[in-house]
Amino acid sequence: MRSMLLPSPDERIYAPYKIGALVEVLAEQGIPAEESLRGSGVEASELDDPFALTSIRQYMFVCMNAVSLSHDSTTPFEVGSRLHVSAYGMYGYALLSCLTLRDYFRLAVKYRRLATPPLSIDWSENSETVVWTFPDVFVANPSQMLRRFLIEQQFSLHVTHLEDVAGRSCPPLRACFAYPAPAYADIYARYLRCSCFFDQPQFELVYDAALLDQKPH
């Protein structure tokens, strides 16, 4: 299954919901919004403005600020756990309206361009598993630390979204990461609620294929 081409990083076409969630988490750590947003071109007042539009580059800039300002390794996971499908406007409504979880997988990739996507995603299935894959293709060229931050946030977000749509707990079977285990590797299993493996050939989030034909509650 192939996702749509990633958008231009400078198109200001996205509501600032992802930026807002990140600024909120950093504020709880004592980091003022003005510091979190510094250099991004986004003002704190825009986070609650229903007409404000931002770009992926601006979002990634705020993520880069988070990497340098935050000393809490849970930050990207916590942001991902708060970004519920309902925050995604019409895209989120479409996902919540799916008749089966297979439809959810299909639509999530087909209309990925609508979700402020900093990186590419894909999915595949076989008789036993359904697998989210992350081909390591980013809209912009992040540093190694920012790349890891975005991957951690994306994995946490995917776990959150599937449970939002399913309406129940459905943790992954395992998560695979194509980089060495960080010093805080225990955090991964805490947020993703599955076994996590590092130094793997590619980034994967693996679920039981039996989910696909189930109906959301």
Side-chain angles (χ1 to χ4, degrees), residues 26-27 32 75 92 100 102 122 136 151 161 166-167 176 184 209:
L26 294 175
T75 297
T100 68
R102 176 179 275 102
D122 212 340
D136 209 9
I151 286 288
H161 284 191
C176 301
Y184 55 89

Side-chain angles (χ1 to χ4, degrees), residues 2-23:
R2 288 292 159 196
S3 59
M4 299 169 66
L5 292 176
L6 290 174
S8 163
D10 295 310
E11 288 182 279
R12 294 196 180 195
I13 57 176
Y14 304 102
Y17 52 88
K18 282 189 173 181
I19 294 175
L22 180 51
V23 169

Side-chain angles (χ1 to χ4, degrees), residues 113-203:
R113 188 185 176 98
L114 303 176
T116 324
L119 67 160
S120 180
I121 67 169
D122 212 340
W123 73 282
S124 61
E125 63 174 298
N126 57 46
S127 60
E128 296 183 352
T129 61
V130 54
V131 184
W132 286 116
T133 55
F134 307 84
D136 209 9
V137 177
F138 290 82
V139 169
N141 186 27
S143 66
Q144 183 175 357
M145 290 183 67
L146 178 55
R147 172 176 168 265
R148 187 169 67 188
F149 182 97
L150 292 169
I151 286 288
E152 291 168 344
Q153 182 174 282
Q154 194 67 42
F155 270 65
S156 177
L157 186 153
H158 272 261
V159 169
T160 299
H161 284 191
L162 183 58
E163 296 199 346
D164 284 347
V165 175
R168 60 184 180 278
S169 176
C170 44
L173 297 177
R174 62 184 179 276
C176 301
F177 299 88
Y179 49 66
Y184 55 89
D186 59 307
I187 290 175
Y188 284 65
R190 188 196 318 168
Y191 276 88
L192 303 181
R193 294 181 290 114
C194 65
S195 298
C196 298
F197 303 90
F198 299 88
D199 286 317
Q200 300 300 300
Q202 63 179 351
F203 296 103

